[in-house]
Amino acid sequence: MSDWMVTRSPLPRRRARALSPLREHLRDTFWFAPTAAMVGVFVVWLVAQELDAALVRSLQDDGDFGTLAELLRFANDAKTVVSAVGSAMMTFIGVVFSISLVAVQMASGQFTPRVVRLFVRSRITKATFAVFLATFVLTLLVLTSYDSTPDPRAATSVPLVQSVLTLLMVALSLLLFVLYVNGTLRLMRIGHVIARIAAESFRAAALMPAPAEDGETAGTGPVTAWVAHEGRAGVLRDVNIARLVRVARGQGVVLRLVPRIGDFLVPGTPVLAVHGGAAPPRRALRYTLSVGVERTFHQDPAFGLRQLSDIGLRALSPAVNDPTTAVQALDRVVQILAALSRRPLDAVVHRDRRGAARLVQSVPGWTELVDLGFAEVRGCAVGAPQVSRRLLAGLDDLLLLAPPERREPLLRHRELLRQAVERGTPAPADRAFALLPDRQGIG
């Protein structure tokens, strides 16, 4: 084996943070950013209003009523602009919302419904909605600050700073709208969607802690207690690792997570096995397991392969018949598996500050990841020589990268693909063409 295969750097690992589940959940919501923006712009408006009032008081104290009268005329002219901005901003918000709905509908039908979360998590989409709503709220607040009296001696407020702030928000809204349209068009292109899925997969794999050493999981001892799931039924999205480690250290036990991230939990089924002591109290385990209606990338390194496999299957369906998209999905499947080919899998161990194992978590093994990435697409590759050729090239590349003990599932998929093509392609020339490895499929 060549030296570059041996010295290939593994995926970087980052320590999981205690607040990362909350951060991930907020990223999966669409209400937080607009709400925070509207609250923030209200605070900024209060500050701007106080600055305008201080400016008026200062000019009145100095007796500079001529300058104050000029500012009042300027404010009346700016009021027309602010009113027009307030009316146009709601139309702008409707346009952006319509574009988002069309983009989500097209992506869901063309790729897979699971890619909709890419639009929900899009920072530029959230920023655009947040700034548009904040600008609209600001215009309403600024309109309430205009003084009806034209007499500079009786004026209490001249919204000068507020009007300038409104114009700056309008400029920011226009800039974000251009970026939003560009970002939305990128997310509607399959290459960028697949690249985002691969990037999220690498990020989830990088957050995985050190793998369990040989015999370490067996050394935890017999199970002394079980903890059942008492919440609602749903998919296990993630676990608060830091909190579970603290609970296990306080109890002097080792906890083992029974389901994997992405498994569907039913109330009453065991979720934690306790080794070496009594089960922790229920109140200590609150908010340690997050259950939702769908899987997320957070702590789930296999979810990316699931989405790529779904995209490949959708592309090879008779209704779509797009083998080039399936080849693009296979490109990323091979990339992810190549990065995990030498990484220890099956189980990871989370330790406390003293280095003692406190939480054992099961993760998909190499064979399961290979089956997830190739099995379903391989079953649809017969009759699509572009896909079979790319699949064979990907398997050959992984056979060069994977250690000897991990080559069996790759050889198995290669042989099953060869048998399927031979059964489904009667012409010898077509069989030879379909079984010729090619990283571009057909090119």
Side-chain angles (χ1 to χ4, degrees):
M1 185 177 294
S2 59
D3 294 337
W4 71 271
M5 295 179 188
V6 177
T7 60
R8 188 168 51 89
S9 60
L11 285 170
R13 288 196 297 267
R14 293 181 293 173
R15 187 176 180 181
R17 293 174 289 179
L19 293 180
S20 58
L22 175 61
R23 175 175 56 85
E24 290 296 320
H25 295 168
L26 291 179
R27 286 189 64 189
D28 283 334
T29 61
F30 208 82
W31 60 267
F32 179 74
T35 303
M38 288 187 291
V39 173
V41 79
F42 180 76
V43 175
V44 172
W45 171 75
L46 291 177
V47 175
Q49 187 184 44
E50 183 60 30
L51 291 176
D52 287 330
L55 177 62
V56 171
R57 289 194 299 267
S58 176
L59 292 175
Q60 289 175 342
D61 293 341
D62 294 340
D64 193 356
F65 296 106
T67 302
L68 187 55
E70 291 292 333
L71 292 179
L72 283 173
R73 284 192 290 270
F74 172 80
N76 289 328
D77 295 337
K79 183 177 181 180
T80 305
V81 178
V82 174
S83 301
V85 169
S87 301
M89 197 53 61
M90 285 305 297
T91 304
F92 228 13
I93 293 173
V95 171
V96 173
F97 189 69
S98 300
I99 294 175
S100 297
L101 289 181
V102 172
V104 168
Q105 184 178 8
M106 291 182 61
S108 177
Q110 184 178 359
F111 308 140
T112 170
R114 275 150 292 284
V115 303
V116 173
R117 65 185 308 275
L118 294 179
F119 291 86
V120 176
R121 291 170 64 91
S122 173
R123 290 187 175 93
I124 186 62
T125 302
K126 293 179 181 179
T128 304
F129 271 100
V131 172
F132 280 16
L133 289 174
T135 304
F136 176 70
V137 171
L138 180 61
T139 57
L140 297 181
L141 295 174
V142 172
L143 288 175
T144 63
S145 301
Y146 282 93
D147 205 328
S148 59
T149 177
D151 186 4
R153 291 177 174 80
T156 58
S157 175
V158 178
L160 178 64
V161 177
Q162 301 172 61
S163 300
V164 173
L165 181 61
T166 302
L167 296 178
L168 292 177
M169 290 293 292
V170 171
L172 180 60
S173 299
L174 294 176
L175 175 61
L176 284 176
F177 179 72
V178 175
L179 297 177
Y180 164 77
V181 172
N182 178 70
T184 302
L185 291 177
R186 286 170 61 90
L187 286 178
M188 294 173 66
R189 296 161 59 184
I190 184 60
H192 292 285
V193 171
I194 291 177
R196 286 281 298 273
I197 293 174
E200 292 278 4
S201 300
F202 286 121
R203 190 175 296 112
L207 287 172
M208 293 173 59
E213 299 177 359
D214 293 339
E216 188 172 11
T217 56
T220 55
V223 177
T224 55
W226 295 92
V227 177
H229 175 55
E230 294 184 350
R232 59 175 181 172
V235 176
L236 180 61
R237 294 159 52 98
D238 53 46
V239 296
N240 194 324
I241 296 171
R243 186 177 179 89
L244 283 176
V245 169
R246 288 196 302 267
V247 171
R249 182 183 60 196
Q251 292 288 118
V253 298
V254 178
L255 299 177
R256 178 171 56 86
L257 188 64
V258 177
R260 288 177 179 168
I261 302 296
D263 286 356
F264 190 86
L265 297 183
V266 177
T269 57
V271 291
L272 290 172
V274 184
H275 299 263
R282 281 289 177 181
R283 64 178 182 276
L285 297 176
R286 293 181 61 187
Y287 308 114
T288 56
L289 303 180
S290 174
V291 176
V293 296
E294 62 180 355
R295 296 169 66 175
T296 67
F297 276 105
H298 189 226
Q299 301 180 2
D300 192 352
F303 187 45
L305 291 174
R306 176 68 273 163
Q307 292 189 71
L308 292 174
S309 180
D310 288 345
I311 292 175
L313 286 174
R314 179 69 63 90
L316 293 176
S317 65
V320 178
N321 193 20
D322 184 11
T324 303
T325 295
V327 168
Q328 289 180 282
L330 285 175
D331 291 339
R332 298 298 180 172
V333 169
V334 173
Q335 180 190 8
I336 295 173
L337 291 177
L340 298 174
S341 60
R342 291 181 173 272
R343 185 184 179 111
L345 299 168
D346 295 317
V348 295
V349 174
H350 304 274
R351 307 174 186 276
D352 58 18
R353 296 177 180 177
R354 298 181 179 179
R358 292 302 180 187
L359 176 64
V360 180
Q361 182 180 356
S362 176
V363 297
W366 172 250
T367 300
E368 295 166 297
L369 293 175
V370 172
D371 292 340
L372 177 58
F374 292 134
E376 294 171 314
V377 177
R378 174 181 53 79
C380 299
V382 179
Q386 183 180 2
V387 179
S388 62
R389 287 159 64 97
R390 180 61 185 100
L391 190 53
L392 287 171
L395 291 170
D396 290 344
D397 289 340
L398 291 174
L399 285 170
L400 294 175
L401 295 173
E405 63 273 11
R406 290 191 171 181
R407 294 176 182 172
E408 187 278 329
L410 301 172
L411 293 172
R412 171 168 52 84
H413 280 285
R414 201 183 194 286
E415 178 61 22
L416 289 174
L417 178 60
R418 185 190 63 81
Q419 294 177 7
V421 171
E422 289 183 349
R423 289 194 304 266
T425 309
D430 290 339
R431 284 200 305 268
F433 181 79
L435 293 176
L436 182 64
D438 187 347
R439 290 190 180 90
Q440 294 188 17
I442 297 179

